[in-house]
Amino acid sequence: MYSFSKLRKLYVQGVSCQLSSYRTIDNVLKCNERVVEPPEKNDLYGFLKNQFTKHAEKTALVDAITGQKISYNEILHNSASLANFLKFRKINATECVATHIQNCIEYIYLIMGCLKCRATITLANPAYTHFEINKQLKDSNAKILFTNKRQIEIARKAVENTNTDLVICVDDFTINDSGVINLSDILQTFNNKQTITPTSEPPTSPTSSTSDCMLQSSKVNDVAFLLYSSGTTGLPKGAMLTHSNITVHLLQLLEAFEWNIQERILALLPFFHCYGLIVVLLKGLYYGSTLFVVPGFEPHLFLSTIEKFQIQRAPIVPPIALFLKSNPIVDNYNISSLQKVIVGAAPLDEVVASSLNKKFPNINWQQGYGLTECSPVVCLQIDKTTQKSGSCGNVLPNTEVKIIDLVSGNNCGPNEKGEVWVRGPQVMKGYLNNLQATDECLMKDGWLRTGDMGYYDDDNTIFIVDRLKELIKYKGFQVAPAELEDILLGHPNVDDSCVIGIPDKISGELPRAYLVINDSSLSEEDVHNYVNERIADYKRLRGGIVFVSKLPKSPTGKLLRRVVKEEYLNSLPSQP
């Protein structure tokens, strides 16, 4: 067993903890002799602050476009100023604050300022329409929304009819109403002020059975992040990740990753996503690296950033991996500085993985598997010499995985496919305000049903092969069929709807809608225009729209998306 001090010593010396063997007991996979001890205090802000202090004058974040830099000391200073303001507004452990901004170096001020107050942070996709943000604000009961000036009009509409009574703009904006203020004004006004204590104490947690599905102040279970996921099925739900989940998970990742505190990391993945937030932003900063921030993927910016700043580690998603494999412009840039590339958010095709290893033999291509409900990592490929193409590696420390047979409910043995179940300290507290959904996936003994199909081989290496859940993954983003179906049913000329994901080599899956309509004059263009006004770009029906006379239903009236998808797949021409 490694103590926390031992892990820290290994980290400071730049020595990676080598993997020991893995084992199964009663067909449950776990890591052998590798255990992470949680920190003494359940305080994510203090946990990060201790590390940031060690690197106070070092550059923490760099805007890859403008070159602007901030140090670790500036993070602590400005987040403390923001925390003073939030406490002045009586934001505490029972309150929620929301963001919907692109990646920027100021993002960490918002995270650390909220964590210092023990407030919950819910992160919305900046591509969301005001309809989508409004739903998230209502469900989370967020009191403040952080935005930027390019999104300000969307923010104003999004807060209507919610309890969000303040919009904060992270970049300077000419203010013309009392409901919007600039972050820069806050940092200046509350700079170096003594911490302001809220005038009232937060209420104690209720003892009702629903308390675990509410934002409550309860020390160990204080929620740090409220990240929306569709889980195994249905509409987006707020996965509650606690301070304890994240602090332990950062240590789990320390054990799993070979790390160099001098590393230059590309911060391309969106911070509103669990992968970008935890694996890139918080993990990178916790270990003292320098992150080069870009607002999103654009081919030339992506490649020029790697070349200009000599990026060494780049967490990406499969569509970007495919771009590196196939796009000819890659050869126009010198990306030889890259040493490690982590691919997550969706499985990477085995053929693509093999091609990447051949094209870039000096890069360690690491695949992992995780989900928002697990903070997010469950397993990871570690040693390049033992990696198996198409696998997602081995379980993290303190984590257990078992494969459950769909018919018998028993634990599967090696090379037997079933549903992946996970148990560990990184597993979420539950879904906000949704006890039913929580009970459906989170067992009383701590096991989480992932809704993913997989197996492990004779070496206890894990492979993910399919999904039980009907969630669509477009370029690593989650698209909930039920959400799109609800929007479609809002059209007066649509009587019934079904949305499935159809395979696509570039994007993974594309949303495709089947509609029963009551007006033959309704066109596909009409439907696209109606839907596109109400959803983010990545949720659009790129797989097409099909008008049908009826949709398959179960005897109880449940929509059978599985049947629709099978019919589509059967209609495809057979491969030679």
Side-chain angles (χ1 to χ4, degrees):
M1 178 183 294
Y2 294 115
S3 67
F4 180 63
S5 59
K6 174 64 173 177
L7 287 171
R8 291 266 47 81
K9 182 178 180 181
L10 289 170
Y11 156 67
V12 171
Q13 293 176 342
V15 178
S16 86
C17 301
Q18 298 299 314
L19 293 176
S20 302
S21 60
Y22 294 85
R23 63 181 178 181
T24 59
I25 299 178
D26 297 327
N27 291 325
V28 174
L29 279 73
K30 63 191 306 182
C31 195
N32 186 27
E33 297 180 357
R34 295 172 63 238
V35 178
V36 167
E37 294 180 359
E40 295 180 1
K41 294 184 178 180
N42 174 43
D43 171 22
L44 182 54
Y45 173 81
F47 185 73
L48 293 169
K49 178 184 177 182
N50 288 340
Q51 289 302 111
F52 291 5
T53 302
K54 296 178 183 179
H55 311 286
E57 301 305 321
K58 184 181 178 181
T59 298
L61 294 160
V62 178
D63 186 314
I65 297 177
T66 67
Q68 181 183 355
K69 303 176 181 179
I70 60 173
S71 67
Y72 282 88
N73 193 47
E74 286 176 284
I75 294 175
L76 294 176
H77 182 84
N78 286 323
S79 61
S81 298
L82 178 58
N84 285 335
F85 170 78
L86 295 175
K87 291 182 179 181
F88 174 73
R89 297 278 303 193
K90 299 180 182 178
I91 300 295
N92 53 41
T94 63
E95 305 291 354
C96 183
V97 172
T99 72
H100 82 124
I101 54 177
Q102 288 183 308
N103 286 11
C104 60
I105 60 178
E106 294 86 2
Y107 215 114
I108 191 62
Y109 299 159
L110 318 184
I111 299 298
M112 291 292 284
C114 291
L115 290 177
K116 187 173 174 62
C117 299
R118 300 286 285 198
T120 297
I121 314 152
T122 187
L123 311 177
N125 187 338
Y128 274 179
T129 65
H130 69 273
F131 292 101
E132 295 164 305
I133 299 170
N134 180 268
K135 289 181 181 179
Q136 188 163 331
L137 293 177
K138 286 180 177 178
D139 189 64
S140 63
N141 197 31
K143 298 301 188 294
I144 295 174
L145 174 63
F146 286 95
T147 188
N148 53 30
K149 58 187 177 184
R150 63 181 294 183
Q151 305 279 85
I152 199 72
E153 295 306 319
I154 294 176
R156 284 192 173 112
K157 292 180 181 178
V159 300
E160 292 177 0
N161 301 314
T162 70
N163 287 328
T164 308
D165 57 7
L166 180 64
V167 174
I168 299 176
C169 191
V170 297
D171 45 2
D172 287 338
F173 177 76
T174 302
I175 305 299
N176 56 17
D177 64 62
S178 59
V180 181
I181 59 177
N182 282 322
L183 176 64
S184 59
D185 293 333
I186 292 173
L187 298 182
Q188 182 177 359
T189 303
F190 286 82
N191 180 31
N192 294 326
K193 287 186 178 292
Q194 185 177 359
T195 300
I196 301 170
T197 303
T199 57
S200 60
E201 291 296 321
T204 57
S205 299
T207 57
S208 66
S209 61
T210 61
S211 63
D212 280 349
C213 289
M214 301 172 66
L215 292 181
Q216 302 292 341
S217 177
S218 57
K219 294 183 179 180
V220 172
N221 286 322
D222 276 0
V223 178
F225 299 108
L226 182 63
L227 304 182
Y228 278 75
S229 164
S230 294
T232 56
T233 186
L235 296 169
K237 299 173 284 291
M240 297 185 287
L241 305 181
T242 67
H243 286 252
S244 178
N245 287 148
I246 307 304
T247 52
V248 175
H249 196 47
L250 289 173
L251 292 177
Q252 290 175 300
L253 294 173
L254 167 61
E255 261 276 75
F257 283 95
E258 294 180 358
W259 204 261
N260 177 351
I261 64 173
Q262 303 301 324
E263 271 191 328
R264 296 179 295 276
I265 301 173
L266 181 65
L268 162 72
L269 299 178
F271 295 155
F272 71 81
H273 191 282
C274 200
Y275 184 8
L277 174 67
I278 308 299
V279 179
V280 182
L281 181 63
L282 295 188
K283 179 176 68 66
L285 293 178
Y286 175 75
Y287 299 144
S289 301
T290 298
L291 276 61
F292 295 82
V293 181
V294 293
F297 178 75
E298 189 282 320
H300 293 284
L301 176 61
F302 169 68
L303 294 168
S304 63
T305 299
I306 296 173
E307 181 180 73
K308 178 180 179 180
F309 296 105
Q310 294 291 286
I311 299 298
Q312 296 164 297
R313 186 187 294 261
I316 61 173
V317 290
I320 300 178
L322 188 60
F323 163 81
L324 288 169
K325 167 187 170 292
S326 306
N327 199 300
I329 73 168
V330 174
D331 297 331
N332 298 332
Y333 293 84
N334 181 0
I335 60 172
S336 60
S337 61
L338 274 180
Q339 299 171 3
K340 299 180 180 69
V341 176
I342 307 154
V343 185
L348 184 62
D349 183 87
E350 184 174 348
V351 175
V352 175
S354 297
S355 298
L356 286 168
N357 278 311
K358 291 179 181 178
K359 184 175 182 179
F360 303 99
N362 296 324
I363 295 177
N364 182 7
W365 295 87
Q366 297 176 280
Q367 287 194 67
Y369 165 68
L371 54 162
T372 300
E373 290 81 356
C374 289
S375 303
V377 185
V378 173
C379 53
L380 183 73
Q381 292 178 343
I382 307 296
D383 186 352
K384 184 177 181 179
T385 61
T386 60
Q387 288 176 6
K388 298 181 180 181
S389 184
S391 83
C392 52
N394 302 100
V395 292
L396 294 188
N398 298 47
T399 305
E400 297 173 285
V401 169
K402 62 183 178 180
I403 311 298
I404 299 297
D405 183 87
L406 299 181
V407 177
S408 68
N410 296 328
N411 292 5
C412 294
N415 302 302
E416 297 175 353
K417 295 179 182 179
E419 183 182 8
V420 180
W421 288 33
V422 179
R423 183 166 64 181
Q426 71 269 49
V427 173
M428 68 171 181
K429 178 180 179 180
Y431 292 121
L432 177 70
N433 301 327
N434 201 330
L435 185 61
Q436 179 180 349
T438 300
D439 289 343
E440 287 174 356
C441 72
L442 192 57
M443 306 296 102
K444 292 182 179 179
D445 57 0
W447 284 101
L448 176 76
R449 300 185 58 179
T450 68
D452 290 314
M453 291 286 289
Y455 68 95
Y456 62 93
D457 64 12
D458 293 326
D459 297 321
N460 296 329
T461 301
I462 298 172
F463 295 77
I464 303 299
V465 296
D466 205 348
R467 289 195 299 276
L468 283 175
K469 52 192 175 184
E470 296 162 329
L471 190 68
I472 301 167
K473 281 202 171 182
Y474 171 77
K475 292 186 176 180
F477 291 105
Q478 296 180 347
V479 180
E483 182 181 17
L484 290 174
E485 288 162 0
D486 282 353
I487 291 172
L488 289 162
L489 289 172
H491 194 289
N493 299 128
V494 175
D495 289 337
D496 207 353
S497 67
C498 174
V499 175
I500 64 169
I502 63 172
D504 181 77
K505 290 184 178 180
I506 303 298
S507 303
E509 290 181 312
L510 302 175
R512 180 181 179 91
Y514 292 79
L515 304 179
V516 178
I517 62 175
N518 56 41
D519 185 347
S520 60
S521 66
L522 184 69
S523 68
E524 292 181 29
E525 183 179 2
D526 293 333
V527 176
H528 279 299
N529 290 338
Y530 177 81
V531 172
N532 292 350
E533 292 177 355
R534 292 163 170 79
I535 59 170
D537 178 79
Y538 71 87
K539 298 180 185 178
R540 293 186 175 187
L541 298 170
R542 289 180 169 83
I545 296 169
V546 181
F547 297 123
V548 295
S549 59
K550 64 178 182 178
L551 293 169
K553 302 285 181 74
S554 72
T556 59
K558 182 180 179 181
L559 180 65
L560 299 176
R561 297 191 191 94
R562 170 182 50 81
V563 174
V564 176
K565 187 162 186 175
E566 287 175 355
E567 290 177 351
Y568 170 81
L569 295 176
N570 290 336
S571 70
L572 298 177
S574 59
Q575 297 295 323

